[in-house]
Amino acid sequence: MSFYIKNITRCSLCGELIGSFKESLLLPYIADPDSPLAFFVRNYVHRNCFNSWEDHDDFIQSSFEQEERMIQRGNYEKVILYDRYFIIDYKKQEDTYHIRDCYSILEIRISIGQVGELGDFFEKIKTGAHAQLEVGKLIFTAKGKEVVIVHHDEDEIGDEITIPHSRINDYIFVFNYIRRYNEKNDLL
Ligand SMILES: [Zn+2]
């Protein structure tokens, strides 16, 4: 099922109804179509069910490999990093960086200015600071040692995604990587 419908769409992992869109996650394609995990592709699940799923890591690995194939096929414009479940694609026309996180299954599209703001924000919350940052339609909030990202669109709350504490350093790495990349390209 490729559309989320309130009170109809069920989680393919637990079988229960998914009460709201923000709890839902549409699972991406994976590299191996013969894998038993392929059954779950393009299915909706609870984000919480996905995070605690025993096949979580295998599914992510396979979806990351699928993205690698997409890169080889030229489905991305200019991949500047492909590592740690991240793919960073630079879009020249819009002068933005698309950060795809295959681990948390989310994509963030930001300018270089916003990359700087987010890099500083993630550094700050690592020290335990309570902080919030609004970047376009995304609100980043430090909660405990995690970061909650809420996508808001004209008062409507869309996705709500939690970046686990274990991924904070990877995010900082990514923001620093983009900053360095951008500086180098300014020199050319
Ligand atoms: Zn579920």
Side-chain angles (χ1 to χ4, degrees), residues 68-83:
E68 187 172 32
R69 286 185 196 172
M70 303 291 273
I71 293 169
Q72 284 156 3
R73 285 179 198 154
N75 289 49
Y76 285 86
E77 188 176 322
K78 185 175 177 56
V79 174
I80 65 165
L81 180 76
Y82 173 72
D83 190 23

Side-chain angles (χ1 to χ4, degrees), residues 77-139:
E77 188 176 322
K78 185 175 177 56
V79 174
I80 65 165
L81 180 76
Y82 173 72
D83 190 23
R84 307 183 194 200
Y85 299 123
F86 283 106
I87 300 160
I88 306 172
D89 193 24
Y90 176 63
K91 302 277 186 190
K92 195 176 169 139
Q93 195 111 33
E94 312 154 26
D95 196 19
T96 55
Y97 293 90
H98 291 195
I99 303 168
R100 180 186 283 264
D101 176 355
C102 292
Y103 187 91
S104 294
I105 310 183
L106 82 111
E107 190 174 277
I108 302 171
R109 301 174 175 205
I110 46 179
S111 67
I112 186 62
Q114 292 169 327
V115 168
E117 283 176 52
L118 275 168
D120 294 344
F121 173 82
F122 272 74
E123 287 282 6
K124 194 158 90 183
I125 58 158
K126 231 179 91 176
T127 65
H130 295 279
Q132 192 168 63
L133 178 69
E134 200 167 334
V135 175
K137 288 175 176 174
L138 300 174
I139 302 171

